[in-house]
Amino acid sequence: MNITEAKKQIMGKLELDDVNSGIFYGEWAKIEGRDTMVSYSPIDGSQIAEVTMATEEDYQKVLDRAQESFKIWRDIPAPQRGLLVKEIGNELRKYKTALGKLVSIEVGKTIVEGEGEVQEMIDIADFALGLSRQFYGLTIVSERPHHRMYEQWLPLGSIGVITSFNFPCAVWAWNAMIAAAAGDICVWKPSSKGALIAIATTKIVNRVVEKFGYPPLFFLVVGRGREVGEWMANDPALPLISFTGSIPTGKRIAENVAKRLGRTILELGGNNAAIVTDQTDMTIALRGVAFGALATAGQRCTTTRRLILHQAIYDEFLTKLKNIFEKVKIGNPLEPGVLVGPLIDEKAVENHLNAIQQAIHQGGKLIFGGEKANIPGLENGHYVIPALIEANPDMDIVKEETFAPILYVMKYRTIEEALEIHNNVPQGLSSAIFTNNLRDEEYFLSPSGSDCGIANANTSTAGAEIGGAFGGEKETGGGRESGSDAWKNYMRRQTVTINYGKDLPLSQGVKFDID
Ligand code: UN1
């Protein structure tokens, strides 16, 4: 299927045009008089649409309206807010195929991965519905007679969500669905490479909001990262900024938000490794490593970038993995059977090629792939052959996250050594061990084990479920979003003390007698 045909099937359904407004402040801002950016498909390099970008005035209007909406939304009981989120989930179910296909067209994911992305949004909506009845606080015993203490969780305000091209709507939903249930308003700056997806998503969810008669809750500001991102980071009207993206940008955002003592949730780079021990189920390990390294063409934060193999299975595993790399179908992600689609743009292809050159220069041995891939009929797409490189854990390039399908392979003898190699990078997002050896598995999960936010046994570093808290340590930024108790980031905790007695006893036995 070509892009024109695929586009024809969905643009009308998703209410998209050739030129679209990228600014939603309760209504869609006019197109006239604003700069536009072009959205290209990485599949064949063709232009899919133009999108207008926000001016600072637009941004201010969004923030003003968001503050107005918050005053209403915060007083709606949480279980009622949950009903809205539930309906958004249902609406997304209706658009799973169309929105999923747009994800494929605009950022190059395979059809199943595009639909998986929408499924992730549906899942988090379901999760947020349940959560809307569970914003529990603790009851605390007081040291004073006739006193009661408890904690309550209250809405935080308008929150800023800045997302990356690789999960162009799912990561927004992780934030937006929880935030909406929590009573917050969401201001979204999507990646300009996923702007159409963001517009389509905003249209779908806001129709539901309107149907309920609520004020606008999900705002959209498409624009340059250097502008909109900075406005948001510096804006005290946004008490929380949730940012997904690179480590250097994350550091800049964190500094700016910290200067005004705001909160951040940072989900920055990953450099995830899988350890395969000498006692392992080869089929599971091969499948898990291949999925981790190749899915989304190596452009997930959770992509397996390093493979740490026990010396006893090193040769066998590598030969089998090389076979998989050789066979895996690269090409148009809209075609059935294709598992590896394009990289997002030509810069990403350059980064891929450069990283491989550096790896070789630093002593790595390229054992498969690495070059540009020419897909007949898609000469303007951005395709590469995934690379397998035997490497040394101390090579500088191995410690960097290159957002491309490059897998560095290393050898170990003892599990202690495997974990030393594993933890020897600045990032700390996801990790995996493939083993049937209980001791190795438990060592991996012990305090001396994986230093990552996510640690998996016998399953891939990639493909986390929404029910868990998602995020990582070290330069990954320490944030947690999505499931578990990540909702606490989106609310403010209030400690309440109530005196129902006839005196005023003071804490710590302090006396303050005024008569
Ligand atoms: C990301 O790459 O930013 O765990 C998010 C996964 C997906 C989410 C990745 N569920 O691979």
Side-chain angles (χ1 to χ4, degrees), residues 221-497:
V221 197
V222 172
R224 295 184 187 93
R226 283 271 175 187
E227 291 179 0
V228 182
E230 301 292 313
W231 299 334
M232 289 169 83
N234 288 303
D235 195 340
L238 295 172
L240 168 70
I241 299 287
S242 174
F243 172 79
T244 304
S246 72
I247 292 169
T249 312
K251 282 185 180 165
R252 211 175 54 240
I253 298 248
E255 266 176 38
N256 287 338
V257 178
K259 260 189 223 147
R260 59 174 175 88
L261 302 178
R263 269 189 218 174
T264 47
I265 298 176
L266 299 173
E267 205 257 279
L268 313 180
N271 192 350
N272 320 296
I275 297 170
V276 182
T277 77
D278 53 341
Q279 293 169 47
T280 190
D281 181 322
M282 279 280 181
T283 316
I284 289 181
L286 281 164
R287 199 176 265 266
V289 170
F291 170 70
L294 301 172
T296 326
Q299 300 171 104
R300 291 190 188 212
C301 296
T302 52
T303 292
T304 307
R305 307 200 179 278
R306 298 177 297 135
L307 177 60
I308 306 166
L309 297 176
H310 190 274
Q311 59 175 2
I313 49 105
Y314 188 90
D315 291 333
E316 184 194 352
F317 195 89
L318 201 48
T319 308
K320 289 187 169 154
L321 190 64
K322 187 166 168 250
N323 266 333
I324 296 173
F325 270 55
E326 277 164 359
K327 275 199 227 122
V328 81
K329 212 167 151 199
I330 305 161
N332 185 344
L334 302 172
E335 304 280 345
V338 167
L339 291 181
V340 178
L343 295 187
I344 189 67
D345 54 20
E346 216 35 45
K347 181 89 187 70
V349 173
E350 255 171 55
N351 292 344
H352 173 87
L353 300 174
N354 278 343
I356 291 163
Q357 282 317 311
Q358 283 186 54
I360 293 168
H361 186 70
Q362 290 168 18
K365 187 172 154 213
L366 179 65
I367 52 172
F368 179 77
E371 60 271 37
K372 265 179 129 161
N374 285 320
I375 311 295
L378 302 176
E379 284 74 14
N380 293 323
H382 314 295
Y383 298 88
V384 297
I385 316 258
L388 264 178
I389 298 178
E390 285 187 286
N392 163 332
D394 289 324
M395 283 162 48
D396 286 344
I397 192 72
V398 172
K399 297 181 187 176
E400 278 178 35
E401 178 194 48
T402 305
F403 229 47
I406 302 172
L407 185 60
Y408 299 111
V409 189
M410 291 160 272
K411 195 184 279 184
Y412 80 91
R413 281 171 295 274
T414 63
I415 189 70
E416 291 81 5
E417 189 195 347
L419 265 304
E420 245 166 63
I421 297 171
H422 180 278
N423 293 343
N424 187 31
V425 293
Q427 309 84 350
L429 179 56
S430 186
S431 57
I433 189 167
F434 290 90
T435 188
N436 289 332
N437 181 320
L438 184 68
R439 285 190 182 147
D440 284 352
E441 184 233 357
E442 290 299 315
Y443 184 80
F444 174 75
L445 298 172
S446 77
S448 307
S450 163
D451 60 3
C452 293
I454 298 169
N456 298 336
N458 292 323
T459 191
S460 175
T461 60
E465 298 178 21
I466 59 93
F470 185 93
E473 303 302 329
K474 303 197 286 187
E475 288 197 356
T476 301
R480 292 295 185 278
E481 49 194 352
S482 190
S484 184
D485 65 351
W487 60 268
K488 290 181 176 170
N489 287 312
Y490 303 81
M491 302 194 86
R492 61 186 170 89
R493 183 200 309 243
Q494 191 167 62
T495 303
V496 181
T497 306

Side-chain angles (χ1 to χ4, degrees), residues 142-154:
S142 172
E143 66 191 41
R144 287 168 280 182
H146 304 128
H147 277 60
R148 186 164 71 82
M149 288 174 73
Y150 75 101
E151 287 179 343
Q152 60 171 348
W153 292 88
L154 300 165

